[in-house]
Amino acid sequence: MNIQWRDLLRHYLQVVAFCSVIAVLTTAIWPRKSYLVQLGYSLAVGTVTWAVIDFGRYVFDERNCHRDSAGGHGWPKGWRGALLAAVGVACGFFIGEPLGNLLLGDGVVPSAQDSRISLVITLVAGAVGTFYFFTRGKAAALIAERNAAERDASEAKLKLLETQLEPHMLFNTLANLRVLITLDPPRAVQMLDHLNGYLRVTLSGSRSVAHPLSAEFDRLRDYLELMSIRMGPRLRYTLELPDDLRDVPVPPLLLQPLVENSIRHGLEPQVEGGEIVVRARRESKASAGKLQIAIEVRDTGVGLGAAPPSEGGGFGLAQVRERLATVYGARGRLEMAAAADGGTRAVVTFPI
């Protein structure tokens, strides 16, 4: 039984405030007793009612309760909630009222009319309080369901984006492999081995919407090894990942489109090829003082606007931006700029 004590305390403080208002009404009805005495009676009835209802929720199985926004027990569904409310109000009157008389009474037996008025006040107050907490709980349940639906939609969207991107890379690799089988069979076998390892990691990563940044760098290394077989010494690369950032979760295939873009539009149009550096670092957002991660993909290629246009050139970048928007919203962004000493610099930033 996972009792959420903080929520119980918050509910009880609201009950105390409600009882304070009820005590004003009962003081007006029975002015011979002071407000503090009436407040004591009201708290006795309210505390018993609150205890029975709030703790009684945990008697019901979670499957019979609305989903709570904090992940615990919500309000019981259907007749269960009505039964619990009725039992709570009855206990408040038949236990709380005598408890108040025991602690605060002056020994005078209340008249039948006073008992009837007290019963009506208890029923009305119990109904109003129950309705208030029910609507609050129902609203929290709806918010939790909406958040879960949005999360499921985001996961489905990421899966769709990944299935769109995987064939894009795979077809390019198979086309290169077909050429190597004829021209250089040993290198084709080596490329096939790297492709086998890459696909094994990719398929295992496709079962989740996030994996450690170290896994993303490992996958990136496999991809660059595949490209190195095709380009030979024209491709040089460096991967820099600090140890304290290795376990940071990121969406799969976040960096590969940027590296693929650097190769296709930066290094391949250049006869001598060039170098790609992928570097992750932790930085503080000056405006908010929050920590975020910046991953830089820098190449020494021909630079922005210098490469000849090719089909699908903006596909990978669009996928990266959409992945960032899906997972991080406005807090994730991709910036492209010309490097100071030539080439292109892409920087992905998102919060830790």
Side-chain angles (χ1 to χ4, degrees):
M1 182 181 295
N2 182 24
I3 298 179
Q4 297 172 303
W5 296 103
R6 181 178 298 178
D7 286 344
L8 290 173
L9 178 59
R10 186 177 69 251
H11 292 168
Y12 183 65
L13 292 177
Q14 292 173 334
V15 169
V16 170
F18 188 61
C19 290
S20 301
V21 176
I22 297 298
V24 175
L25 174 63
T26 56
T27 302
I29 297 176
W30 296 291
R32 64 184 178 83
K33 294 183 179 180
S34 67
Y35 172 78
L36 292 179
V37 172
Q38 296 290 3
L39 177 61
Y41 274 99
S42 183
L43 286 175
V45 175
T47 299
V48 172
T49 304
W50 161 81
V52 172
I53 293 178
D54 232 10
F55 284 95
R57 293 183 297 131
Y58 293 92
V59 175
F60 298 95
D61 190 271
E62 290 186 13
R63 293 171 297 181
N64 295 321
C65 296
H66 294 288
R67 181 185 300 180
D68 186 76
S69 59
H73 272 70
W75 185 262
K77 297 178 181 178
W79 61 268
R80 300 172 182 85
L83 176 62
L84 180 61
V87 171
V89 172
C91 289
F93 179 75
F94 291 107
I95 297 177
E97 187 79 14
L99 180 62
N101 287 327
L102 178 64
L103 297 176
L104 304 167
D106 52 8
V108 178
V109 178
S111 64
Q113 182 179 2
D114 288 344
S115 297
R116 286 194 296 270
I117 295 175
S118 180
L119 175 60
V120 171
I121 293 176
T122 302
L123 290 175
V124 173
V128 172
T130 301
F131 179 75
Y132 168 77
F133 285 111
F134 169 76
T135 53
R136 288 285 297 262
K138 187 68 173 178
L142 291 175
I143 292 175
E145 292 176 0
R146 185 197 66 186
N147 292 339
E150 290 178 350
R151 184 168 57 251
D152 293 342
S154 296
E155 292 178 0
K157 193 172 185 180
L158 283 178
K159 291 297 183 183
L160 177 60
L161 293 176
E162 188 163 343
T163 58
Q164 290 175 337
L165 188 57
E166 287 292 353
H168 181 63
M169 178 269 173
L170 183 59
F171 293 153
N172 286 342
T173 303
L174 291 177
N176 296 329
L177 182 61
R178 182 177 183 275
V179 175
L180 282 180
I181 289 175
T182 303
L183 300 178
D184 194 343
R187 290 182 66 197
V189 173
Q190 186 181 5
M191 188 175 192
L192 188 59
D193 290 338
H194 281 295
L195 179 61
N196 182 52
Y198 175 85
L199 291 178
R200 184 182 296 112
V201 175
T202 299
L203 290 175
S204 62
S206 66
R207 298 186 181 95
S208 62
V209 296
H211 64 179
L213 188 56
S214 59
E216 183 73 6
F217 268 67
D218 290 341
R219 173 184 276 177
L220 200 58
R221 182 175 290 105
D222 289 332
Y223 173 76
L224 285 167
E225 284 297 323
L226 287 173
M227 296 299 102
S228 296
I229 294 175
R230 181 170 64 85
M231 296 182 64
R234 296 179 61 233
L235 173 60
R236 302 176 302 279
Y237 70 88
T238 302
L239 302 178
E240 299 180 9
L241 176 61
D243 290 338
D244 61 335
L245 298 181
R246 294 183 61 84
D247 295 329
V248 174
V250 297
L253 284 176
L254 180 66
L255 301 179
Q256 180 197 307
L258 302 179
V259 174
E260 185 174 357
N261 188 72
S262 293
I263 292 175
R264 295 179 63 196
H265 305 294
L267 304 189
E268 283 189 336
Q270 196 164 251
V271 175
E272 67 274 18
E275 182 181 12
I276 294 177
V277 177
V278 183
R279 181 183 296 113
R281 65 179 182 273
R282 185 191 303 260
E283 61 182 26
S284 178
K285 191 174 182 181
S287 60
K290 297 181 179 179
L291 291 177
Q292 62 182 13
I293 286 182
I295 305 177
E296 179 182 357
V297 179
R298 184 181 179 280
D299 66 70
T300 58
V302 297
L304 289 174
S310 60
E311 185 178 354
F315 179 83
L317 298 181
Q319 298 303 305
V320 173
R321 287 192 171 93
E322 192 155 1
R323 281 169 176 264
L324 290 171
T326 299
V327 178
Y328 305 107
R331 299 176 299 169
R333 64 183 185 274
L334 166 64
E335 297 177 351
M336 301 282 296
D341 53 350
T344 304
R345 178 175 174 267
V347 181
V348 172
T349 56
F350 54 87
I352 296 180

